[in-house]
Amino acid sequence: MYSLILLIPPKSGSHCLTETGAKELKAVTSKQLQTVLLDVRDSDSVKKVAAWVKAEVQSEGLWGLVNNAGIMGTSAPTDWLDIEHFRDPIEVNLIGLINVTISMLPLIKKAKGRIVNVSSVGGRLAFSGGGYFPSKFGVEGFNDSLRRDMKAFGVKVCCIQPGLFKTALTNPAQIMKEKEVIWNKLPLDIKKQYGEDYFQKEKGGQELRSCSSLSLKTVNLNLTDSNSIARAVVFVTKETAGKG
């Protein structure tokens, strides 16, 4: 039986998808492991890997495919962003995942194998602007339709929804650095709408979250401002689902 695990795409801060990374992986795993470099954003790369896999598995087909390539992209209020900020994570997390899956489906159907798509808790609840959350909601939809389509062929389709973990993908310092770059380029009218101290407040909340429980949620509150208090009450009511 053959299974294929597709790792992180290039330019995502990982050494996994390099010749060096492949050698390091082989050194600590089974001698049966085989690696291949794949950029899920590149259709030619996907086709080449599909051909390589077909030659490896031959008549047995492919028993397992795990789609776990993903990037966070820029996380910021929607009106700070342009279309390119949305495009990158959608290209990797959704379009790339679909392209790889379609290319491998004939081999998976032959083996009556299994597909595992790695989504995110962000595929169920979006809590920031940017392309990451739309991409993960898309993965959920694709996973549901694919599972129904493949049931008749004996192919199992699963979806994993990880929560938030402390990895390079969710590095608070890097997220704030990217957000600050965008803030500095924003038109003055948008900065005025948010308030000049908005970014500093956001930075403080991010720093607090980075050194405490992943369950912690924060809200900016000005005790001298009735509107600020009202917004905080709405936030807490929503978060506690009215349970107090």
Side-chain angles (χ1 to χ4, degrees):
M1 291 291 187
Y2 292 86
S3 299
L4 178 63
I5 299 179
L6 304 178
L7 297 176
I8 303 170
K11 300 179 182 178
S12 59
S14 171
H15 69 281
C16 291
L17 208 138
T18 64
E19 293 289 354
T20 301
K23 290 179 181 178
E24 292 176 355
L25 192 60
K26 284 185 176 181
V28 296
T29 54
S30 168
K31 293 182 179 180
Q32 295 181 332
L33 174 74
Q34 296 193 51
T35 61
V36 60
L37 301 183
L38 168 64
D39 184 347
V40 299
R41 298 167 297 185
D42 185 343
S43 291
D44 289 337
S45 178
V46 173
K47 290 177 182 178
K48 289 178 182 178
V49 170
W52 177 84
V53 173
K54 183 176 181 180
E56 290 292 325
V57 303
Q58 299 183 18
S59 61
E60 291 188 38
L62 184 64
W63 182 82
L65 168 65
V66 179
N67 285 308
N68 72 325
I71 62 173
M72 185 70 183
T74 302
S75 177
T78 302
D79 54 349
W80 294 19
L81 306 175
D82 59 38
I83 191 62
E84 295 306 321
H85 292 118
F86 288 84
R87 192 185 307 279
D88 287 344
I90 290 175
E91 283 288 342
V92 173
N93 302 349
L94 179 58
I95 302 301
L97 179 148
I98 294 174
N99 195 10
V100 170
T101 302
I102 291 173
S103 298
M104 302 296 175
L105 266 183
L107 298 174
I108 296 170
K109 288 168 68 177
K110 182 177 291 187
K112 293 185 177 181
R114 174 174 297 182
I115 299 169
V116 179
N117 292 317
V118 179
S119 176
S120 166
V121 66
R124 300 180 66 87
L125 177 66
F127 49 87
S128 177
Y132 180 81
F133 298 100
S135 75
K136 292 303 183 178
F137 270 76
V139 169
E140 298 283 343
F142 175 71
N143 193 86
D144 286 349
S145 60
L146 181 66
R147 184 176 64 250
R148 293 185 178 91
D149 293 341
M150 292 297 105
K151 183 177 181 180
F153 300 98
V155 173
K156 294 183 178 180
V157 180
C158 307
C159 187
I160 298 176
Q161 300 168 331
L164 185 63
F165 294 88
K166 290 185 178 180
T167 68
L169 197 70
T170 57
N171 185 316
Q174 182 61 32
I175 292 174
M176 289 306 300
K177 183 178 180 181
E178 293 174 352
K179 189 176 291 187
E180 186 171 10
V181 170
I182 297 175
W183 171 264
N184 290 335
K185 295 180 180 179
L186 287 177
L188 288 177
D189 60 333
I190 294 183
K191 285 186 176 181
K192 288 180 179 179
Q193 290 170 5
Y194 281 86
E196 288 297 332
D197 59 347
Y198 171 87
F199 184 78
Q200 293 304 319
K201 291 178 181 178
E202 180 67 16
K203 188 175 182 180
Q206 186 70 47
E207 290 173 350
L208 180 61
R209 289 189 290 270
S210 69
C211 62
S212 57
S213 167
L214 294 177
S215 300
L216 175 72
K217 296 186 178 182
T218 63
V219 58
N220 293 328
L221 171 62
N222 181 355
L223 294 177
T224 65
D225 183 348
S226 296
N227 290 329
S228 178
I229 294 173
R231 288 193 294 269
V233 170
V234 172
F235 171 82
V236 173
T237 301
K238 181 179 179 180
E239 291 296 325
T240 59
K243 295 179 181 179

